Amino acid sequence: MAVAPASTTSPLLAAPSAKPAASHPRPGFLPLRPRAQRRGAVATWRRLRAEATRTQRETEQAEAAVEESFPVRESAPLDGADDPMVPSDESWAVKLEQSVNIFLTDSVITILDSFYRDRNYARFFVLETIARVPYFAFISVLHMYETFGWWRRADYIKVHFAESWNEFHHLLIMEELGGNSLWIDRFLARFMAFFYYFMTVAMYMLSPRMAYHFSECVERHAYSTYDKFLKLHGEELKRLPAPEAALNYYLNEDLYLFDEFQSARVPCSRRPKIDNLYDVFVNIRDDEAEHCKTMKACQTPGTLRSPHSMQNCLETDTECVIPENDCEGIVDCVKKSLTSKD
């Protein structure tokens, strides 16, 4: 196998395509790196690490600005400076929950850093595979609660489905970029997702607040990861074409579900622009910011509303109040169902 010179190696390391180049009409998004190019990989890793160190301060500032990324609905403002990775000044139970979440999140980040230091698209594939799981878990538990008449909140199910739909298209984009080319990456992503699902179900049944905070931590990390990637490789990304999956999703005429997961925004207030691969990653990063806001809003019981239902309720709020059962975790649900007069 011919070895390309180290000087021509792209800092964006994509996995090889599963199909031969002749049968694939679309151009490769990134130059491919031969496996035998060890020295080039080491040099690339050192260069990326140096660049990441120089931009660490900028990344930390970007994380603090997630909540301020977009204008929010005036009727439902969100706090802008809270960082879920720092325990808040709440009760001991909340501090304990947040400390556990931060430990779990840091553990996952450590694993990803050790496996995917210089393999960006494979890392993004794993991230997006995992990112969909909490919304499946939330919907599963909410359906069970609804079956028993414990917790009937249609807006929660609606918004969480829209979130999973958004993450699904992120996953399609990463697959088109070659992030799932190696079987080990597919195995690791699905293995982690399998156990993550049951862990999230148990956590959500125990404490919805804790589960939502954990998801906020994960989404915050995703935002930070994409933001760092854009700062390191922005110029090169601007010269690359947008994947077809991104064009089909972000430029679709029907963006109802796209608006639905952004609970801090008025519907139709954000319409993505896609001219190149850089724009795609900007929109994915901004999606993660919106997920972060929604997960933060969910931590206050009963406050989440569908953006579309909120739009219809601005003038006639009294007519839009639907009586709903409310409970904090399965223990509280069972307790309230036993003491209910009904």
Side-chain angles (χ1 to χ4, degrees):
M1 179 184 297
V3 179
S7 60
T8 62
T9 302
S10 170
L12 301 181
L13 304 176
S17 175
K19 298 181 180 180
S23 62
H24 193 63
R26 293 188 298 272
F29 296 108
L30 297 177
L32 302 181
R33 183 190 66 173
R35 294 183 179 179
Q37 190 175 355
R38 306 289 180 152
R39 296 181 180 178
V42 173
T44 299
W45 176 81
R46 290 176 177 173
R47 182 170 62 256
L48 290 177
R49 186 173 183 179
E51 292 175 352
T53 301
R54 289 195 299 269
T55 59
Q56 182 177 6
R57 184 171 302 176
E58 297 178 3
T59 301
E60 292 175 353
Q61 294 174 353
E63 290 180 4
V66 171
E67 304 292 347
E68 301 173 357
S69 300
F70 308 102
V72 297
R73 189 187 298 113
E74 292 183 0
S75 58
L78 298 177
D79 295 333
D82 294 344
D83 187 344
M85 302 302 288
V86 178
S88 60
D89 297 330
E90 298 284 352
S91 65
W92 67 269
V94 175
K95 290 182 179 179
L96 177 62
E97 293 174 358
Q98 295 181 354
S99 298
V100 171
N101 288 340
I102 294 171
F103 171 77
L104 292 174
T105 305
D106 289 342
S107 300
V108 173
I109 294 174
T110 300
I111 295 174
L112 293 178
D113 287 343
S114 62
F115 277 90
Y116 301 104
R117 288 186 181 276
D118 57 351
R119 298 176 56 227
N120 294 305
Y121 290 164
R123 181 191 183 104
F124 298 157
F125 167 76
V126 175
L127 274 177
E128 296 301 341
T129 301
I130 296 174
R132 303 173 62 202
V133 171
Y135 308 119
F136 297 153
F138 299 158
I139 293 174
S140 299
V141 176
L142 289 175
H143 272 296
M144 185 189 72
Y145 286 175
E146 183 179 281
T147 301
F148 289 101
W150 293 343
W151 195 358
R152 291 181 176 174
R153 294 193 176 280
D155 282 10
Y156 279 71
I157 296 179
K158 188 179 179 184
V159 171
H160 292 332
F161 175 77
E163 290 182 287
S164 69
W165 186 251
N166 176 259
E167 299 288 8
F168 168 66
H169 285 86
H170 291 180
L171 182 62
L172 291 180
I173 293 170
M174 299 312 159
E175 290 178 348
E176 188 172 343
L177 291 174
N180 66 333
S181 297
L182 300 181
W183 73 267
I184 186 62
D185 297 324
R186 298 192 299 271
F187 174 80
L188 179 62
R190 293 161 186 173
F191 179 82
M192 294 176 65
F194 177 80
F195 288 98
Y196 186 29
Y197 171 81
F198 290 101
M199 186 197 78
T200 306
V201 167
M203 184 184 295
Y204 195 60
M205 293 176 66
L206 177 66
S207 172
R209 178 187 59 224
M210 180 179 183
Y212 284 133
H213 178 265
F214 183 62
S215 293
E216 183 188 358
C217 292
V218 173
E219 298 294 358
R220 180 67 66 104
H221 169 68
Y223 175 91
S224 175
T225 300
Y226 287 121
D227 189 63
K228 181 188 299 184
F229 178 71
L230 285 167
K231 290 178 179 178
L232 291 176
H233 307 298
E235 293 303 319
E236 185 170 356
L237 290 171
K238 291 177 181 178
R239 297 191 297 269
L240 299 172
E244 184 178 351
L247 297 175
N248 292 338
Y249 177 62
Y250 286 112
L251 302 183
N252 195 307
E253 294 181 0
D254 183 6
L255 291 177
Y256 182 90
L257 288 177
F258 178 76
D259 291 329
E260 185 65 26
F261 83 91
Q262 304 177 70
S263 63
R265 277 185 161 273
V266 175
C268 303
S269 63
R270 177 185 168 212
R271 286 296 176 261
K273 180 194 74 169
I274 302 292
D275 292 332
N276 47 50
L277 190 56
Y278 178 85
D279 292 337
V280 173
F281 277 100
V282 166
N283 281 286
I284 293 176
R285 180 201 62 185
D286 295 347
D287 289 347
E288 305 300 349
E290 295 296 338
H291 285 297
C292 204
K293 297 177 186 178
T294 300
M295 291 297 95
K296 183 176 180 62
C298 287
Q299 293 172 47
T300 303
T303 59
L304 182 67
R305 289 291 182 272
S306 162
H308 294 91
S309 65
M310 285 293 295
Q311 187 180 31
N312 297 331
C313 292
L314 291 179
E315 296 182 358
T316 57
D317 290 337
T318 56
E319 297 180 6
C320 292
V321 177
I322 302 175
E324 295 177 322
N325 296 330
D326 191 12
C327 55
E328 278 294 301
I330 190 169
V331 175
D332 190 37
C333 286
V334 174
K335 180 179 179 181
K336 288 184 177 180
S337 66
L338 295 176
T339 58
S340 175
K341 296 180 180 180
D342 298 337

